[in-house]
Amino acid sequence: MASQPHDSSRHDNTLAVIRSLREHGPAARVDIGTRNGISSATVTSISADLLQQELITELPPDVSRPSGRGRPKTLIHLDTEAACVICVKLSINELQLVVGDFAGQVRHSEHHSVATLTLTPGDLTALLEEKIAAVCTTALANHRRLAGICLAIQGVVSSHSGTLIWSPALSFRNAPLSPPLAERFGCPVLLENDANCIASVLATQPAYAGYPNLVVIMLGYGIGMSVMIDGVPFVGANGSAAEFGHSKYQPGGALCACGKRGCIEAYASDYALYREAREVLDLPAGDSAHPSEQQMQALTQLAMQGDPEAQRIFAEAGRALGYGMANLLALFNPDLVLITGSGVRGYAAMQESMQTALDEALVSELIGPTRIVSCPWDRDMTCLGGIAIALQATDSQILSAS
Amino acid sequence: MASQPHDSSRHDNTLAVIRSLREHGPAARVDIGTRNGISSATVTSISADLLQQELITELPPDVSRPSGRGRPKTLIHLDTEAACVICVKLSINELQLVVGDFAGQVRHSEHHSVATLTLTPGDLTALLEEKIAAVCTTALANHRRLAGICLAIQGVVSSHSGTLIWSPALSFRNAPLSPPLAERFGCPVLLENDANCIASVLATQPAYAGYPNLVVIMLGYGIGMSVMIDGVPFVGANGSAAEFGHSKYQPGGALCACGKRGCIEAYASDYALYREAREVLDLPAGDSAHPSEQQMQALTQLAMQGDPEAQRIFAEAGRALGYGMANLLALFNPDLVLITGSGVRGYAAMQESMQTALDEALVSELIGPTRIVSCPWDRDMTCLGGIAIALQATDSQILSAS
DNA sequence: TGGATTTAATTTAGACCCTAAAATAAATGC
DNA sequence: GCATTTATTTTAGGGTCTAAATTAAATCCA
């Protein structure tokens, strides 16, 4: 009498073993069991399956490290070549491709300069197909399978449908990006907001673990945010939740890149800061609507060195951030707010007025125990997150496909 | 060789049967199986357990209704007397107690006028103990167990710790309310925000089912909100999430009951509307800081009848609501926003300016497909929700205690 | 009236998955 | 070389589910 498996415990436990190996590296069966709350007998059974599917291998005994009394542990680890994933990060005028193996390690990374704002949807799809195909032939030779692709894009995306809704890096809106790539490469293609990618990485870091309600704010050309609830990004109905940059500071206020007025982004983003500054300060020439890192550094320097006009501009940005933060705390009541992104370079010049504005706006009961801290910016983190997300999403498929 | 059950399927399926009976009423084993995706053999086994524990009973065959061909269904239903729960709703100058049986039906309801603002924490605990004890002796005679108590309170509460953080109905803050009652009555005592209670009811209504991201805004003396994500209220780190009323419309704007300036509540709540109106309009006398329903009806009437000053006041409130809604949509991107509470009486006078403000504040991509609709107000809904929440929370305990 | 038919509920047989305990494997210590 | 220690595998057994078979209790209809 055949029957469908009525519960998912084997499946869940198998995924737990894989993720445990990916997170902690090679381990003995007995330790995997302890770490995941399952018996070593079960780990034996699961690893036998995984060995047979060639998803894991046994490490040869390490003769250099003395093993102590008793039978030595036999470490198992993920077969790094069992599969790989690609993360493609699209930001203004730049395309980054990173290849990660089945164990989550970066195996290849490349950057391309692209005039993203001039692309049509067709151009973009063709470009992505070309670059991904190139990476596949050069960097994927040893991998048995391309398990998934993650497109990490600054802006608003609908992950569910794989549709780009709107990005500051692109001049078009509402275009399906995932479907053509999924068709072309025969694997799942995830579309993710870049802030969600970064937040996924930060949420697993020991320093920030143990905060089930984590908010990550990304300052930069625009202002992005990710709200992680129990380790999962909150995306809302169609993926456009957490648009902190377009929440309001001042009705009818400064003009935002979105076309509306009074958004937080219209006060505290790079372009907003530079727009204010260039009227009154002597700053490097260049496209002041899309200030470069050098331009922003020059402006930040001025504030740090005590220029009163520059300080006033950052203080006003901090005030807008503080009022935005008040809404964030009133509505999400997070444990921790991390402020990062390239714009953290100016955080010191905004922090005091931000805190003042927050205290002015919100009663202490609603500020509660929320901690607000900045976090150094690492531009490669987006792709690390994209790779982790792609692997998580495809583990289940890899399992059933073998 | 004994072993702990390694999975929770029996437990989960048993809960599913109980909740299915509570939601849909008496049903045959075969139908319960179909509805919950489990085999009727399993339902037979589970219902045998539940019959033995006297948590359900078999209905006698209904001779009046012809059963059609085949063996007639034997309906089982929850034993209504197996347990009961009490919901206590505390609002300004009023205390309501409702008793619900194990099937979720209301068995008793009573209201008391109480000068809530004059109570000390000790007074309140003593009052609650007295009223609950009285209800226990009169209304609970037939029930075998008091399974839980839900305190539904307007304001900010920490459900986890059972601590009141701040309520407009009380003049003190930061008081533990659940622990003394839990001790006194020997059952779990849940502390819930009133908006969460109402939203829990609305989220299960057929008209609003199928919206995994549901926001319920409660207009009234103050402004409350509940954000339901997949049927569960989002409470944040310490229970003070979803404080829409204290999110900001205008930095440095109108004075709010919380002591800060520019909150949405300071423009669109009953007290804010009345405060504006009494300066320029001829309105009923009374405590204009806590306007009565009659006073608010009089004001609303004026606006409906076309009084330009009254219309201006409601329009400005609608504008504040619209800007608050913009933040809500940008940050939560809900499928549906329901506007209810006693304040919906004036919604018609606010709706147009609210929509105008929303369109002015937020790009259409971020408004997305979110629907915003009002919903008639029923003041008894809070306690219905409280009873449903208390039963859900205690099912598991009832099971294991038998 | 009594068998055929229909549908519900229960029982049975079998499969899966897990764990504890026993057995086996592979080291070190002395 | 044997006792000890620790890891892994095997064995035995319990829980839970489902499909199929069986039993139960009606209606239909000749």
Side-chain angles (χ1 to χ4, degrees):
Chain A
M1 293 176 192
S3 65
Q4 272 35 270
H6 62 275
D7 73 63
S8 54
S9 49
R10 186 52 168 258
H11 187 254
D12 294 348
N13 287 338
T14 305
L15 283 184
V17 169
I18 291 175
R19 284 169 189 172
S20 178
L21 289 172
R22 191 174 292 138
E23 187 177 353
H24 298 101
R29 290 163 174 82
V30 62
D31 297 325
I32 295 170
T34 305
R35 188 183 291 145
N36 293 285
I38 51 185
S39 72
S40 63
T42 301
V43 180
T44 292
S45 166
I46 288 171
S47 27
D49 289 351
L50 291 174
L51 280 166
Q52 199 262 313
Q53 294 176 267
E54 299 188 292
L55 294 174
I56 64 172
T57 55
E58 285 192 344
L59 286 184
D62 182 352
V63 287
S64 66
R65 190 178 45 90
S67 63
R69 298 289 294 268
R71 177 173 173 173
K73 296 171 195 284
T74 308
L75 303 186
I76 55 179
H77 75 158
L78 296 175
D79 182 342
T80 54
E81 315 306 303
C84 70
V85 294
I86 298 177
C87 176
V88 183
K89 173 184 159 195
L90 181 77
S91 44
I92 300 180
N93 295 330
E94 188 186 335
L95 197 64
Q96 181 179 9
L97 285 92
V98 174
V99 179
D101 63 28
F102 189 49
Q105 297 303 303
V106 170
R107 298 289 283 265
H108 175 83
S109 176
E110 61 184 51
H111 290 259
H112 302 275
S113 285
V114 179
T116 53
L117 285 164
T118 66
L119 296 172
T120 66
D123 293 342
L124 178 60
T125 297
L127 178 69
L128 291 174
E129 290 194 7
E130 176 204 327
K131 296 299 183 194
I132 293 171
V135 159
C136 284
T137 55
T138 60
L140 264 62
N142 295 323
H143 290 93
R144 292 201 292 282
R145 168 200 342 260
L146 174 59
I149 297 171
C150 177
L151 294 180
I153 298 196
Q154 217 179 98
V156 186
V157 300
S158 168
S159 316
H160 179 68
S161 65
T163 303
L164 169 88
I165 296 176
W166 152 35
S167 166
L170 296 167
S171 51
F172 55 88
R173 297 184 176 187
N174 297 312
L177 294 187
S178 296
L181 294 178
E183 169 112 9
R184 170 74 170 75
F185 295 102
C187 68
V189 178
L190 307 172
L191 189 58
E192 277 291 342
N193 177 276
D194 64 337
N196 285 342
C197 292
I198 284 163
S200 297
V201 177
L202 291 174
T204 62
Q205 289 189 353
Y208 309 125
Y211 295 100
N213 298 92
L214 174 68
V215 165
V216 177
I217 294 178
M218 302 251 302
L219 303 177
Y221 171 75
I223 294 185
M225 179 171 84
S226 174
V227 176
M228 303 289 290
I229 302 175
D230 296 324
V232 179
F234 174 69
V235 298
N238 66 340
S240 68
E243 278 297 322
F244 177 66
H246 303 289
S247 69
K248 302 296 138 182
Y249 165 52
Q250 188 75 256
L255 184 63
C256 179
C258 73
K260 300 298 185 179
R261 292 188 167 274
C263 302
I264 307 286
E265 179 173 306
Y267 295 86
S269 67
D270 284 358
Y271 74 78
L273 289 164
Y274 209 84
R275 174 176 63 189
E276 281 291 299
R278 65 190 287 266
E279 314 243 321
V280 290
L281 294 171
D282 182 29
L283 287 166
D287 179 0
S288 64
H290 295 90
S292 66
E293 183 60 26
Q294 285 78 2
Q295 288 172 301
M296 290 309 299
Q297 296 250 357
L299 171 54
T300 310
Q301 270 312 102
L302 282 178
M304 300 298 182
Q305 288 162 357
D307 181 288
E309 276 302 320
Q311 288 188 331
R312 183 191 58 74
I313 289 166
F314 277 99
E316 178 63 13
R319 188 173 157 78
L321 271 185
Y323 266 84
M325 194 69 70
N327 288 339
L328 218 49
L329 267 50
L331 295 174
F332 285 107
N333 179 222
D335 299 281
L336 176 65
V337 178
L338 286 178
I339 299 178
T340 187
S342 60
V344 281
R345 63 174 109 69
Y347 183 62
M350 301 190 279
Q351 185 174 12
E352 188 181 326
S353 62
M354 183 189 86
Q355 188 64 52
T356 304
L358 176 57
D359 291 332
E360 175 185 313
L362 206 59
V363 286
S364 61
E365 281 86 354
L366 291 182
I367 296 177
T370 303
R371 291 178 51 213
I372 301 172
V373 298
S374 67
C375 164
W377 169 234
D378 171 2
R379 54 205 285 278
D380 287 337
M381 213 187 287
T382 314
C383 286
L384 289 182
I387 282 173
I389 289 172
L391 282 170
Q392 279 237 348
T394 53
D395 277 339
S396 201
Q397 295 201 335
I398 292 168
L399 264 185
S400 55
S402 295
Chain B
M1 294 178 196
S3 66
Q4 271 38 267
H6 62 275
D7 73 62
S8 55
S9 50
R10 186 51 169 258
H11 187 254
D12 293 349
N13 285 338
T14 306
L15 282 184
V17 169
I18 291 175
R19 286 171 187 169
S20 177
L21 289 172
R22 190 173 292 138
E23 187 177 354
H24 298 101
R29 289 164 175 79
V30 61
D31 296 325
I32 295 170
T34 306
R35 187 184 291 148
N36 294 285
I38 51 185
S39 72
S40 65
T42 301
V43 180
T44 293
S45 166
I46 287 171
S47 28
D49 289 350
L50 291 174
L51 280 167
Q52 200 261 312
Q53 294 175 266
E54 300 188 290
L55 293 174
I56 64 171
T57 55
E58 283 192 345
L59 287 184
D62 182 354
V63 289
S64 66
R65 189 178 45 93
S67 62
R69 296 288 293 265
R71 176 176 173 172
K73 295 172 196 283
T74 309
L75 303 187
I76 55 179
H77 75 160
L78 297 174
D79 182 342
T80 54
E81 315 306 304
C84 70
V85 293
I86 299 177
C87 176
V88 182
K89 173 184 160 195
L90 180 77
S91 45
I92 299 180
N93 294 331
E94 190 186 332
L95 196 65
Q96 182 179 9
L97 284 91
V98 174
V99 178
D101 64 26
F102 189 50
Q105 297 303 303
V106 170
R107 298 288 282 265
H108 174 82
S109 176
E110 60 185 49
H111 291 259
H112 302 275
S113 286
V114 178
T116 53
L117 284 165
T118 67
L119 296 173
T120 66
D123 293 342
L124 178 60
T125 297
L127 178 69
L128 292 174
E129 289 195 7
E130 177 203 326
K131 295 300 183 194
I132 292 171
V135 159
C136 283
T137 56
T138 60
L140 264 63
N142 296 323
H143 290 92
R144 293 200 293 281
R145 172 198 342 261
L146 174 60
I149 298 171
C150 177
L151 293 180
I153 298 196
Q154 220 179 95
V156 186
V157 299
S158 168
S159 317
H160 179 66
S161 65
T163 303
L164 168 87
I165 296 176
W166 152 33
S167 166
L170 296 168
S171 50
F172 55 88
R173 298 185 176 185
N174 297 310
L177 295 187
S178 296
L181 295 177
E183 169 112 6
R184 169 76 170 76
F185 295 102
C187 68
V189 177
L190 308 172
L191 189 58
E192 276 292 341
N193 177 276
D194 64 338
N196 285 342
C197 292
I198 285 164
S200 296
V201 177
L202 291 173
T204 61
Q205 291 189 353
Y208 309 125
Y211 296 100
N213 298 91
L214 174 68
V215 166
V216 177
I217 293 177
M218 302 252 302
L219 303 177
Y221 171 74
I223 294 186
M225 179 171 85
S226 175
V227 176
M228 303 289 290
I229 302 174
D230 296 325
V232 179
F234 174 68
V235 296
N238 66 341
S240 68
E243 278 296 322
F244 178 65
H246 303 289
S247 70
K248 303 295 136 182
Y249 164 50
Q250 188 75 257
L255 184 63
C256 177
C258 73
K260 300 298 185 181
R261 293 188 167 275
C263 302
I264 306 287
E265 180 172 305
Y267 295 86
S269 66
D270 284 359
Y271 75 77
L273 291 164
Y274 208 84
R275 175 176 64 189
E276 280 291 301
R278 66 189 288 267
E279 314 241 321
V280 291
L281 293 171
D282 182 30
L283 286 166
D287 179 1
S288 64
H290 296 89
S292 66
E293 183 60 29
Q294 284 79 1
Q295 288 173 303
M296 290 309 300
Q297 297 250 357
L299 171 56
T300 311
Q301 270 311 101
L302 282 177
M304 300 299 182
Q305 287 161 358
D307 181 288
E309 275 302 320
Q311 288 188 331
R312 183 191 58 75
I313 289 167
F314 277 99
E316 179 61 14
R319 188 171 155 79
L321 271 184
Y323 265 85
M325 193 70 71
N327 287 338
L328 218 50
L329 266 51
L331 295 174
F332 285 107
N333 179 221
D335 299 282
L336 175 65
V337 178
L338 286 179
I339 298 177
T340 185
S342 59
V344 281
R345 63 174 107 70
Y347 183 63
M350 300 190 279
Q351 185 174 13
E352 188 181 326
S353 61
M354 182 189 84
Q355 188 65 52
T356 304
L358 175 58
D359 291 332
E360 176 184 312
L362 206 61
V363 286
S364 62
E365 281 86 354
L366 292 182
I367 296 178
T370 302
R371 291 178 51 213
I372 301 171
V373 299
S374 67
C375 165
W377 169 233
D378 171 3
R379 54 205 287 278
D380 287 337
M381 213 187 286
T382 314
C383 285
L384 288 182
I387 282 172
I389 288 172
L391 281 170
Q392 279 236 352
T394 53
D395 276 340
S396 202
Q397 295 201 335
I398 291 169
L399 263 185
S400 55
S402 296

